[in-house]
Structures are given as C-alpha cells and as structure tokens.
Amino acid sequence: MEGVRILDKDKKFMQRALNLAEKARGMTSPNPMVGAVIVKNGKVISEDYHKKAGEPHAEALAILKSGEKAKGSTLYVTLEPCCHLDKKTPPCTRAIINSGIKKVFIAMKDPNPKVSGKGIEELRKHEIEVVSGIFEDKAKKLNEAYIKYITTRTPFVTLKTAMTLDGKIATPEGQSKWITGEKARRIVHRMRSSVDAILTAVGTVKADNPELTVRMGQGSKVKGQGIKNPKRIVIDPNLEIPLDYKIFNVPPETIVVTKMGQGSRGKGQELIDKGVKIIEYDDERVDLKWLMKRLGETGITSVMIEGGSSLNAYALQDGIVDKVVFFIAPRIIGGKDSIPAIGGKTFRRLENAFRVSDTKIKRVGDDLMVEGYLNLSA
C-alpha cells in the first residue's frame, strides 16, 4: 500500500467485509471465508459473503445484488478475486470487470498459486484501480487454515486442552469431567464447528465414550450459520474401542487410524460395514506428520486435537501443531500421579522449549483461555 492513502472510511468498509466473511466460519472448506462490500458515493449498495464451497463467491453475489448500480463503484473484498477456470464457479475478476466497478480494495493476496497476484494483474489490465493490503493481518488470521492447506496441502492443526492451575487434565483414576465451566465448554463446541475434523485417541474414547459432536442447544447457530459437525479421527492401533460406542453409531463420519492389517479382518471389517473409514499405518506408532498428509489428500483443511496427555505430547513431538488453545480452570488437583496436559517420556530443556507466540488471554466465566501460535523452529 506504499504511496496509497487509506482513509478511515476504507478501513470501516473493509472491516465490514471481514465481519461478513466471519459469518461462514467452518462452512466454506476447502475454500476460504470471503466477504465483499460494494460502495458508491460513500454508501453501501450491496454486500455478501461466500457461504459454501461450490456456491457463488462473495464478489459475484454482491455484484448480482447491486445490478446496474455497480457502475463506477468501489469494491471492498477480503481476498484477491479469483481469475482461473479450474473450479465450479466463474472467475470473479470477470464479474468485476463486466460490472463497471472502478476501484477495488483487497485485504490480502490469495496464496493459491493459481491466483496469487494474477487476479490483481487482470483487474489492473482493465484499468481498474486496485489497492491491496488493508487489514492484511486480520484477513490472514481469518483464513489461517486455508493459507496452511493451500500452500502445504496439509491441515492447520489446533491443540486444545483443558487443565487445572497446576497443569493437570485428570486425576490418577482418570476423572476429568468437568475441569472447566460451561462457558468454556460452549467455546469448545464453537471451535469444533469451525474445523473439518477432530483428532483423538483410543484412551480418551474408551474413558468417556464421547460423541465428539457440536452441541449448542436446539436451534442454535454458529456465526450465523447452521451447526456443522466435524469428522472424527481416532487413533486406535489395536481396534480396542467397542463397536457399540457412540462414535461408531452417531453421525458424522468417523475415521479410525490403526495398525496395518487390522482393517481387513474381523472387527476392522465390521467397522467398515458400519460406514467407518480405516487408515492403516505400518510402524510401531503412527507418524502424525504422515497422517496429516493423508488427511490433507482427502481434503481435510483443519484439525483440532482433543486427546489426552500422550497424544498431546506426540503432536508436539512430531511437529504438527500450529496453534494451541489452553483452558485453565481455577482448581488444583495436585499429586505426582495426576495426569499432566502434556505427557510423554521426553522433555525439552528450558532453552529448547516449544515457544508460543502472539498469545492472547481471555477470561471465560471463572476460567482463563490462553491461545497462541507455536514456533516449532525454536
């Protein structure tokens, strides 16, 4: 944006576009969340947002609403308009050019190699003024999962855990319900609705027999959209989870990650007959980086880990975690045999500890919510 003066009104309209995009959180995968606002003579004449993959994009929807009024207007859009034909919907650059829009403010370039910079270039070729970079950081955070997936073809991974002040997630006997309060649990359900899949392990499922679904109350909506349940991925090396457990009998889809050969006989075949998908690995322990690549190949763009002490440790050890969200309850369990949030047989010295950056702390009822991003190179 060097040399371009950004006015307060431009920031206001771009923030409005970002707020629109946010309404579709969890609903657009593998596409990004995008909002668009069309302004003429200082007034909004139309606005919309992308609601679901395969459906019209935000710019196209806003242009359709504005009709002839779009001529000579300004468009505020949270992501660089697409310009390629390799998708179900027409290129948005073509719609913008044909509409008569004269100026376009873009929050961020599209990291998709098929678009990156090309959409902006096409608009400028048709004498449309383009300003890019307004609220870029906000736009990138909004679509952090999309950015990770489109550039690496692996999902964005969030490690979520709830623990006491002394870092425990359960008593020695495994008692863990409920460490945090209802407000924190409601946030967790919203988090579930925003991701493509939840990753857990056999121990957690056997202990709690959870559904791992989104429960927000009858008729509830998340960010203006209907509730979406993520896929469930369970690491169960020896297929120990009973067939009558909820994850095998309650929608949505469940994927079981197990040792090689388990899926082709006995219980494995029974699971397949129930509609469960099987991913097999050929090693003593599943390599979580390998698993993330496999999940990315199936179109899963975001994963939230809801596991126990061991899975949390392996996820950090294998370097798959992008973001952490810790809910801390004002309780103290104590005891050296109580289960810590991060277990494992190894540890890092203080100078080599995993570093969390861009941390934010929020009070949620009586609990604290701490979130940040992992610097795995530290």
Side-chain angles (χ1 to χ4, degrees):
M1 293 192 301
E2 189 175 345
V4 177
R5 187 183 176 196
I6 303 298
L7 304 176
D8 287 343
K9 67 179 182 66
D10 298 321
K11 294 177 181 178
K12 180 184 75 172
F13 292 132
M14 185 60 79
Q15 184 61 59
R16 185 164 175 158
L18 287 165
N19 293 344
L20 282 167
E22 176 74 31
K23 288 186 175 184
R25 181 170 291 280
M27 308 305 293
T28 62
S29 178
N31 288 358
M33 292 171 276
V34 182
V37 176
I38 298 177
V39 177
K40 193 170 185 179
N41 299 324
K43 294 183 179 180
V44 174
I45 59 172
S46 67
E47 61 186 18
D48 218 318
Y49 60 97
H50 181 48
K51 297 173 181 67
K52 187 178 179 181
E55 294 188 2
H57 290 186
E59 306 96 306
L61 289 168
I63 289 169
L64 185 64
K65 283 182 177 180
S66 64
E68 290 295 316
K69 292 180 182 178
K71 288 182 180 178
S73 66
T74 299
L75 168 67
Y76 296 82
V77 63
T78 57
L79 186 71
E80 178 181 7
C82 61
C83 56
H84 63 92
L85 299 170
D86 188 19
K87 55 189 179 62
K88 294 179 181 178
T89 54
C92 289
T93 49
R94 187 178 300 168
I96 294 168
I97 293 162
N98 293 338
S99 72
I101 288 171
K102 290 300 180 185
K103 188 171 184 178
V104 179
F105 283 89
I106 297 168
M108 63 170 283
K109 289 183 180 179
D110 192 335
N112 185 343
K114 294 177 182 177
V115 181
S116 188
K118 299 181 183 73
I120 293 172
E121 184 181 353
E122 184 174 347
L123 294 176
R124 285 176 173 161
K125 278 182 180 178
H126 286 81
E127 299 183 349
I128 295 173
E129 185 182 353
V130 179
V131 179
S132 178
I134 181 171
F135 287 155
E136 183 178 14
D137 289 347
K138 289 183 178 182
K140 285 182 175 179
K141 183 164 186 182
L142 176 74
N143 278 309
E144 58 193 9
Y146 167 74
I147 293 169
K148 168 85 181 288
Y149 178 74
I150 205 69
T151 55
T152 68
R153 289 296 164 183
T154 58
F156 184 90
V157 179
T158 301
L159 171 61
K160 187 278 300 180
T161 194
M163 66 182 192
T164 59
L165 277 176
D166 54 339
K168 309 298 185 182
I169 62 171
T171 65
E173 297 81 18
Q175 182 189 10
S176 60
K177 287 188 176 180
W178 296 98
I179 285 178
T180 53
E182 189 176 338
K183 287 187 178 180
R185 296 198 294 274
R186 282 204 298 267
I187 289 176
V188 170
H189 283 283
R190 287 202 294 270
M191 290 171 65
R192 284 181 181 177
S193 184
S194 73
V195 298
D196 289 346
I198 294 170
L199 175 65
T200 190
V202 55
T204 299
V205 176
K206 286 180 70 178
D208 300 332
N209 188 16
E211 289 185 13
L212 293 176
T213 54
V214 177
R215 296 180 299 281
M216 302 288 292
Q218 190 172 7
S220 294
K221 290 189 176 184
V222 178
K223 298 294 183 184
Q225 291 291 312
I227 290 172
K228 180 208 73 176
N229 280 310
K231 294 179 181 180
R232 297 165 296 207
I233 304 160
V234 186
I235 301 171
D236 187 359
N238 300 304
L239 298 186
E240 300 173 39
I241 301 170
L243 290 170
D244 62 353
Y245 266 40
K246 293 173 184 176
I247 60 165
F248 299 141
N249 297 282
V250 174
E253 177 184 343
T254 295
I255 301 169
V256 171
V257 182
T258 189
K259 287 183 178 178
M260 188 65 68
Q262 294 277 20
S264 59
R265 62 176 186 267
K267 193 171 181 179
Q269 190 57 53
E270 289 183 74
L271 287 171
I272 292 171
D273 292 342
K274 289 172 76 71
V276 175
K277 290 187 178 179
I278 303 287
I279 294 178
E280 294 181 316
Y281 61 92
D282 190 12
D283 211 335
E284 185 63 27
R285 176 180 75 81
V286 61
D287 181 325
L288 294 178
K289 267 194 173 176
W290 169 86
L291 179 59
M292 291 305 110
K293 288 180 182 177
R294 286 291 306 271
L295 296 178
E297 289 167 3
T298 69
I300 291 175
T301 69
S302 56
V303 171
M304 184 165 74
I305 299 172
E306 289 200 62
S309 184
S310 295
L311 179 57
N312 292 346
Y314 284 132
L316 289 168
Q317 179 182 315
D318 287 359
I320 67 165
V321 180
D322 297 293
K323 184 177 183 178
V324 294
V325 179
F326 280 43
F327 292 92
I328 305 170
R331 302 185 185 199
I332 298 172
I333 291 178
K336 64 181 180 64
D337 294 325
S338 294
I339 301 170
I342 312 295
K345 295 179 181 178
T346 61
F347 67 93
R348 287 190 166 202
R349 300 188 64 81
L350 281 175
E351 60 268 24
N352 297 318
F354 293 108
R355 294 185 181 274
V356 180
S357 59
D358 299 325
T359 54
K360 290 185 179 179
I361 302 174
K362 179 182 179 181
R363 185 163 183 168
V364 182
D366 291 331
D367 306 314
L368 293 178
M369 175 181 172
V370 181
E371 61 178 323
Y373 295 85
L374 215 63
N375 181 1
L376 291 172
S377 62

